[in-house]
Amino acid sequence: MNILQYLINGISIGSVYAIIALGYTMVYGIAKMLNFAHGDVIMVGAYICYCVTVYLGLPVLAGVLLSMVVCTVLGITIEGLAYKPLRGTPSLAVLITAIGVSYFLQNAAQLIWSSNPKSFTSIVSNMKPLHLFGSLTITGEVIVTVAVSVVIMIGLTWFTSSTRIGKSMRAVSEDRDAAQLMGINVNRTISITFAIGSALAAVAGVLMCSSIPVLMPTTGSMPGIRAFTAAVFGGIGSIPGAMLGGILLGIIETFAKAYLSTQFSDAIVFGVLIIILLVKPAGLLGKQVQEKV
Amino acid sequence: MSMLKIEDIHVYYGAIHAIKGVSFEVNEGEIVALIGANGAGKSTILKTISGLMHPRQGTINFCGENITHTEACKLLPKGLAQVPEGRRIFLQMTVQENLEMGAFIKKTVNPDDLDMVFQYFPRLQERRKQVAGTLSGGEQQMLAMSRALMSHPKLMMLDEPSMGLAPILVDQIFDIIKELHKAGTTILLVEQNARKALQIADRAYVLETGKITLSGTGAELAKSDEVRKAYLGG
Ligand SMILES: Nc1ncnc2c1ncn2[C@@H]1O[C@H](COP(=O)(O)OP(=O)(O)OP(=O)(O)O)[C@@H](O)[C@H]1O
Ligand SMILES: [Mg+2]
C-alpha cells in the first residue's frame, strides 16, 4: 500500500473519532463534565442498528434512524438519572459516576446480547469500491464515513453559530450563571447537548462497525478513549478542535500502525498527544482559559 | 405599591452565614440604593433575589408573587433582570449575539429593541459584529446593561455598574440609569460609589456584614454622620 492509501484510511477512521469527539467536547463545554460513558453509547447504537436490520429485517436507513432515536433517549436518560442529581457536587464524583455508567452499559449489553462478537454487516455493503491510479482503493465505507462526518461538522457549526438554541448553548458553556440570568434554562440546555451528542454517537457506532465489523459489548470503549484523546488534542470544548483532533488522531494512528508497530500504535498516539499538550496545553484549537478569581 | 419585598432572609455559603436577616423593599418607580463596604453581602443579596442562590430562611416577593425558591431562569420572564457584578457578558460572542441572548426569552429579536439600546449606547452599534471580549471595560458595562434591557424588565438590579470606570464614564452610566428610570424602569442599585448612588436614589439602605444598619432617603443618608464617615470620606 502506498502512503496516499494510508492517508485515506486514516482520514476515514479519523472522521469516526471526530464524530465521537464532538459528543465529548460538547458535553464537556456545556455540562463541564467528562462523560466517560459516551464510548459505550456508540456500542449501543451499533447493536440497535444490528438488531433492527438483522432481527427485524428492516432496511439500513431504518436501522440508523432507530439507533439514533434510542441513543438520544438513552443519553437524556443517563444525564437525568445519573448526572443531574450530582450537579454542583465535586467533579470527581461525577467522573466516577460516569465510569460507573460506562460499566453498567457494557454489562447490560453483555446480558442482552451476550459477549460473543456479532459480525456487523456494513451499511454500504452493496457499493463498489473506487479504484484510482491502479493502486488506490476507496471503499464505499470510506466515502460514506467521510461524507457523513463532513455533513455533521457543517451542520453543527451552523447550529451553534446561527440558531437561537445553538447560541444559548455557547452562552451556557461560557457562563452558566449569566446564561440563567438571560432566562436560559441550563438543565434543558444540558439535556439537549446530551441528546445531540448521543445521536452522533449512534451514527459513529454504525459507521465504525461498517468499517471494522466486529461488534461486542466492549466495542465502544477503546474508540471512546481515542476520541476523548482527540477532543483533548484539538482543545476540549472546541467543536472545530474535536473535528481536527479526530482526523489527525486517525491519521497518526494509521501511519503508526503501518510504519512503526501495530502493537504500539496506541502508545505512539498517546505519546504524540503528550508532546502536543506540552507545547500547547489547551490543545490545538483550545482557548487558553484563565482561572477565574 | 411594593414591587420587591424581602423579608428576613438568611443566606449561607456552606457554613458561612453571609446574610443575617435582611428585610427591605423596593416600590414601583423608585431608585433604591444598597451601599456597604467590601464583603458586606450586597452581591449575595442580588444573587439571592435573582434566584442564583436561595435563602435558607425568609421570603422574597416580586409583584405580589413569592419567588423565594424560583429558579433563576424563570425570573427574567417575570420582569426581573440583573446586571451582575463584573459585567459577565459572553466574551466569546459578538455584541449582537450578546444582545440576542438578552432577548432569549422573546424567541425572536425585535429590531426596535436593538434600536432602543443603540439609542442609549450608540457606541455599541458601531461594534455590533465585534467579539465582546475585545471591548473596553466601559463598553462591556454598556453591553451588560443593554443586554438586560433587551427584555424590557420591570425591575433592573445593577451590581456596581461604575466599577473600574473613568469618572466621565461613571457620570454617563449614572445618567443612563436616570434615563431608564424616567422611562419607567424601577431600579435597585448596588454601589461602592456611595456619593453618586445616594445622589440619584429615592431611598437607600446601608449594609454591614450581612445586616442592614441604616435606611432612609438618599438625601438623609448622604447627610448622616455615620454614612459620611464610613462611605463618603468624612
Ligand atoms: N462563593 C463564596 N463562597 C464563600 N463565601 C463567599 C462566596 N461569595 C461571597 N462570600 C462571602 O460572603 C460575604 C458577602 O460577599 P458579597 O460578594 O455579597 O459582598 P459584597 O458586598 O458584594 O462585596 P463587594 O463590594 O466586594 O462586591 C463575604 O464575606 C464573602 O467572603
Ligand atoms: Mg459585590
Side-chain angles (χ1 to χ4, degrees):
Chain A
M1 279 215 265
N2 62 30
I3 191 161
L4 214 54
Q5 183 71 61
Y6 288 128
L7 187 65
I8 289 167
N9 295 353
I11 291 174
S12 174
I13 186 69
S15 301
V16 173
Y17 293 156
I19 300 173
I20 308 170
L22 283 170
Y24 269 112
T25 229
M26 286 174 70
V27 164
Y28 180 84
I30 287 151
K32 304 287 178 247
M33 65 162 291
L34 291 174
N35 177 21
F36 268 113
H38 188 60
D40 302 292
V41 177
I42 300 164
M43 170 272 296
V44 173
Y47 269 112
I48 300 295
C49 183
Y50 177 87
C51 291
V52 171
T53 48
V54 174
Y55 296 150
L56 303 180
L58 293 176
V60 165
L61 196 63
V64 177
L65 288 179
L66 262 169
S67 123
M68 287 174 76
V69 170
V70 170
C71 285
T72 302
V73 173
L74 180 67
I76 295 175
T77 311
I78 291 172
E79 196 277 321
L81 290 183
Y83 304 148
K84 194 173 164 195
L86 294 176
R87 209 155 290 154
T89 61
S91 51
L92 218 50
V94 186
L95 187 67
I96 290 168
T97 308
I99 294 172
V101 172
S102 166
Y103 280 116
F104 175 83
L105 290 179
Q106 287 183 24
N107 291 351
Q110 210 163 12
L111 268 177
I112 302 172
W113 293 294
S114 90
S115 50
N116 296 331
K118 303 231 181 310
S119 85
F120 194 93
T121 322
S122 165
I123 55 164
V124 279
S125 51
N126 52 8
M127 196 161 151
K128 280 220 181 71
L130 283 177
H131 294 284
L132 297 177
F133 320 116
S135 62
L136 212 59
T137 312
I138 303 177
T139 61
E141 284 81 11
V142 168
I143 295 170
V144 169
T145 303
V146 174
V148 166
S149 72
V150 167
V151 169
I152 287 173
M153 290 171 193
I154 294 173
L156 262 189
T157 306
W158 170 80
F159 177 73
T160 51
S161 66
S162 308
T163 66
R164 176 173 165 269
I165 299 294
K167 287 179 199 177
S168 75
M169 287 167 76
R170 280 161 59 210
V172 171
S173 127
E174 213 185 300
D175 190 331
R176 196 181 281 190
D177 282 351
Q180 293 197 74
L181 292 177
M182 303 298 107
I184 297 168
N185 187 331
V186 169
N187 283 334
R188 224 190 62 199
T189 309
I190 291 176
S191 294
I192 295 173
T193 309
F194 270 83
I196 296 174
S198 305
L200 294 183
V203 174
V206 171
L207 290 174
M208 189 180 72
C209 288
S210 292
S211 296
I212 310 162
V214 191
L215 179 54
M216 316 187 266
T218 52
T219 288
S221 101
M222 240 356 251
I225 290 173
R226 290 194 198 114
F228 165 63
T229 312
V232 176
F233 191 44
I236 189 124
S238 154
I239 287 179
M243 301 171 187
L244 181 67
I247 289 170
L248 283 181
L249 195 128
I251 294 172
I252 296 170
E253 183 190 290
T254 312
F255 277 99
K257 272 188 184 147
Y259 293 111
L260 297 167
S261 155
T262 317
Q263 285 91 343
F264 283 107
S265 67
D266 277 323
I268 294 163
V269 167
F270 279 81
V272 173
L273 169 84
I274 290 166
I275 293 167
I276 299 268
L277 289 185
L278 282 175
V279 183
K280 281 204 82 175
L284 293 172
L285 301 182
K287 296 186 188 74
Q288 212 74 43
V289 202
Q290 284 136 336
E291 276 298 314
K292 278 216 188 106
V293 271
Chain B
M1 194 203 97
S2 94
M3 178 180 259
L4 180 71
K5 196 169 169 63
I6 317 285
E7 277 173 299
D8 193 33
I9 55 165
H10 290 257
V11 186
Y12 292 76
Y13 290 99
I16 300 168
H17 195 174
I19 303 299
K20 303 161 186 159
V22 162
S23 306
F24 67 93
E25 55 189 338
V26 179
N27 297 314
E28 192 168 348
E30 274 187 321
I31 298 184
V32 172
L34 191 59
I35 60 174
N38 288 118
K42 306 178 298 292
S43 299
T44 305
I45 290 180
L46 289 203
K47 281 190 270 182
T48 308
I49 298 170
S50 61
L52 293 174
M53 299 180 69
H54 296 288
R56 205 174 278 183
Q57 196 187 310
T59 56
I60 305 173
N61 273 280
F62 179 66
C63 296
E65 187 182 346
N66 185 339
I67 58 158
T68 316
H69 298 288
T70 306
E71 281 174 85
C73 64
K74 307 241 160 77
L75 289 173
L76 193 66
K78 297 187 197 295
L80 181 63
Q82 186 191 348
V83 181
E85 185 172 27
R87 293 123 198 188
R88 307 286 286 268
I89 53 171
F90 303 113
L91 296 170
Q92 292 167 25
M93 301 174 89
T94 63
V95 168
Q96 168 93 25
E97 285 172 334
N98 267 276
L99 296 173
E100 287 171 15
M101 289 299 103
F104 180 82
I105 58 170
K106 301 203 139 179
K107 308 280 190 272
T108 57
V109 180
N110 183 346
D112 293 346
D113 294 342
L114 282 173
D115 288 345
M116 168 200 63
V117 300
F118 291 146
Q119 215 134 49
Y120 283 118
F121 302 105
R123 204 116 55 106
L124 292 180
Q125 181 153 29
E126 304 155 22
R127 290 170 167 64
R128 274 172 90 146
K129 299 257 152 54
Q130 196 170 320
V131 174
T134 62
L135 295 176
S136 76
E139 289 161 354
Q140 293 192 1
Q141 184 61 48
M142 296 175 190
L143 180 56
M145 289 174 69
S146 304
R147 190 179 63 173
L149 282 173
M150 287 296 288
S151 62
H152 298 278
K154 290 184 204 149
L155 173 64
M156 185 141 147
M157 306 192 287
L158 297 136
D159 197 341
E160 305 206 29
S162 74
M163 186 166 60
L165 301 187
I168 182 152
L169 222 51
V170 174
D171 289 344
Q172 203 186 331
I173 296 282
F174 272 86
D175 284 343
I176 285 169
I177 295 173
K178 279 190 272 184
E179 273 182 59
L180 290 176
H181 176 242
K182 257 200 230 113
T185 315
T186 306
I187 310 271
L188 174 57
L189 175 65
V190 161
E191 259 301 334
Q192 288 279 340
N193 191 335
R195 189 185 309 274
K196 296 232 75 156
L198 293 179
Q199 264 171 23
I200 66 164
D202 296 308
R203 291 186 305 109
Y205 297 88
V206 177
L207 191 71
E208 268 174 50
T209 56
K211 281 191 183 127
I212 285 176
T213 51
L214 277 174
S215 64
T217 65
E220 274 166 17
L221 285 185
K223 272 186 277 174
S224 103
D225 284 343
E226 286 132 296
V227 172
R228 286 172 62 166
K229 259 200 223 110
Y231 305 106
L232 301 175

